[in-house]
DNA sequence: CGGATTTGACCAGCGC
DNA sequence: GCGCTGGTCAAATCCG
C-alpha cells in the first residue's frame, strides 16, 4: 500500500482530519501498516497505526466517487435496516454475510476509551468473547439510515490499553448528518 | 417512554 | 460429519 492509498482509505471512512501518514508497505505482513500522526479526534489517543486488510480487493478500497460503494446500496433498500423486522427468510439472507467483501480498515490506538469519537454515531449490536483474547470484542453499526458501515472494537490481550478498531464498509454520508458540533464540522472535511 | 445496551441463542463458515 | 468460532439477532434490561 502506498501513501496516497492510505490517505484515500481514511478519506473513505470520513474518519479524520489533518492526518499525516507515513506509510510503508510490508509485504511480509498480512496487512499493510501505516503510522499516523497528527490531530486525530478528541480523546486520549496515542499514535494510532492504520492498515487495510488485504483480504479486501484493492479495487474495492479505492474511493472517491467510487463505484465500489457496496454500502450505500443496501441489499434491501431499507431505511431502518438495523431494526430488523426480519422474517426467517430475511434472516437466512443475512447469513450469507460472511462471503461479502467490504472495504475494511483497522486502527490500532492506545486509548483509555473503547469507542473512538470519529464523528459518526454508532449503535452497539453485539459483544463477543473471542478466542485468544482476554477482552470481549464489541460490534457496532452506524445508526445513519442506509449506512451499513460496521465496526469492531477490541483490546489487545497483551496490552489492554491498545484498542483495535476495525471498520467495515464505507459511510455514504458525512458526520454532519449525525451531529452539528464544530468538532464534527472539522472532521467532516472529508 | 423511547432509544441504547446487554446478553444468550442461533447460524454459517471453516478446519479437522 | 462434527465441533469450534465469529458474527448477528432479538428479547430483556437499562438509562436519560
Amino acid at each position: 500500500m502506498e501513501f496516497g492509498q492510505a490517505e484515500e482509505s481514511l478519506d473513505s471512512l470520513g474518519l479524520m482530519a489533518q492526518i499525516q501518514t507515513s506509510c510503508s508497505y510490508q509485504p511480509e505482513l498480512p496487512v499493510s501498516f501505516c503510522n499516523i500522526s497528527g490531530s486525530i479526534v478528541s480523546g486520549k489517543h496515542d499514535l494510532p497505526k492504520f492498515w487495510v486488510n488485504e483480504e479486501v480487493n484493492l479495487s474495492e478500497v479505492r474511493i472517491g466517487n467510487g463505484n465500489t460503494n457496496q454500502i450505500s446500496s443496501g441489499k434491501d433498500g431499507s431505511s431502518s435496516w438495523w431494526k430488523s423486522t426480519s422474517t426467517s427468510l430475511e434472516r437466512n439472507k443475512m447469513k450469507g454475510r460472511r462471503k461479502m467483501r467490504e472495504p475494511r480498515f483497522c486502527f490500532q490506538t492506545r486509548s483509555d476509551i473503547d469507542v473512538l469519537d470519529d464523528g459518526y454515531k454508532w449503535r452497539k449490536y453485539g459483544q463477543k468473547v473471542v478466542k485468544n483474547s482476554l477482552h470481549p470484542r464489541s460490534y457496532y453499526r452506524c445508526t445513519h439510515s442506509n449506512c451499513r458501515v460496521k465496526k469492531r472494537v477490541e483490546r489487545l490481550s497483551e496490552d489492554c490499553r491498545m484498542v483495535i478498531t476495525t471498520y467495515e464498509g464505507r459511510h455514504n454520508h458525512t458526520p454532519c448528518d449525525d451531529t452539528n458540533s464544530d468538532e464534527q464540522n472539522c472532521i467532516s472535511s472529508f
Side-chain angles (χ1 to χ4, degrees):
Chain A
M1 143 124 73
E2 296 172 6
F3 174 81
Q5 212 167 12
E7 220 171 29
E8 285 185 347
S9 298
L10 290 169
D11 189 11
S12 71
L13 288 167
L15 283 177
M16 304 176 179
Q18 300 170 3
I19 293 173
Q20 298 166 352
T21 59
S22 63
C23 302
S24 60
Y25 178 50
Q26 297 174 284
E28 71 276 13
L29 296 174
V31 293
S32 304
F33 286 87
C34 295
N35 292 318
I36 301 174
S37 62
S39 63
I40 311 297
V41 290
S42 63
K44 295 157 282 186
H45 313 305
D46 188 20
L47 292 183
K49 281 182 178 176
F50 163 78
W51 66 90
V52 176
N53 195 331
E54 282 192 344
E55 186 180 325
V56 176
N57 188 322
L58 285 181
S59 66
E60 292 177 0
V61 172
R62 228 165 10 93
I63 52 128
N65 303 320
N67 338 339
T68 61
N69 192 341
Q70 304 161 337
I71 311 306
S72 59
S73 56
K75 273 178 295 190
D76 51 8
S78 167
S79 61
S80 58
W81 52 271
W82 65 90
K83 286 186 180 177
S84 174
T85 56
S86 64
T87 62
S88 58
L89 205 97
E90 286 172 325
R91 187 169 172 150
N92 283 341
K93 275 198 294 185
M94 279 295 294
K95 297 300 181 182
R97 58 192 176 250
R98 255 182 255 186
K99 283 286 185 183
M100 292 177 60
R101 290 284 182 91
E102 304 282 9
R104 191 183 294 176
F105 311 100
C106 301
F107 288 92
Q108 179 178 301
T109 62
R110 190 183 301 276
S111 173
D112 293 331
I113 57 177
D114 287 338
V115 184
L116 306 183
D117 182 10
D118 53 15
Y120 293 93
K121 198 173 179 185
W122 299 95
R123 182 191 196 122
K124 190 173 185 175
Y125 67 90
Q127 179 170 303
K128 188 94 178 172
V129 174
V130 295
K131 203 181 173 188
N132 297 325
S133 178
L134 299 174
H135 307 283
R137 175 183 293 168
S138 298
Y139 299 89
Y140 298 87
R141 279 195 285 233
C142 181
T143 61
H144 193 274
S145 301
N146 289 326
C147 183
R148 309 178 77 87
V149 178
K150 290 176 277 190
K151 78 171 175 181
R152 298 192 292 263
V153 177
E154 63 181 302
R155 289 188 177 273
L156 284 181
S157 51
E158 312 90 72
D159 185 356
C160 64
R161 292 169 304 172
M162 295 301 292
V163 180
I164 304 287
T165 305
T166 303
Y167 291 86
E168 192 170 320
R170 290 204 307 269
H171 294 281
N172 57 6
H173 59 98
T174 66
C176 287
D177 291 348
D178 292 321
T179 72
N180 291 319
S181 74
D182 290 342
E183 183 178 303
Q184 305 321 333
N185 285 339
C186 174
I187 292 173
S188 69
S189 62
F190 287 95

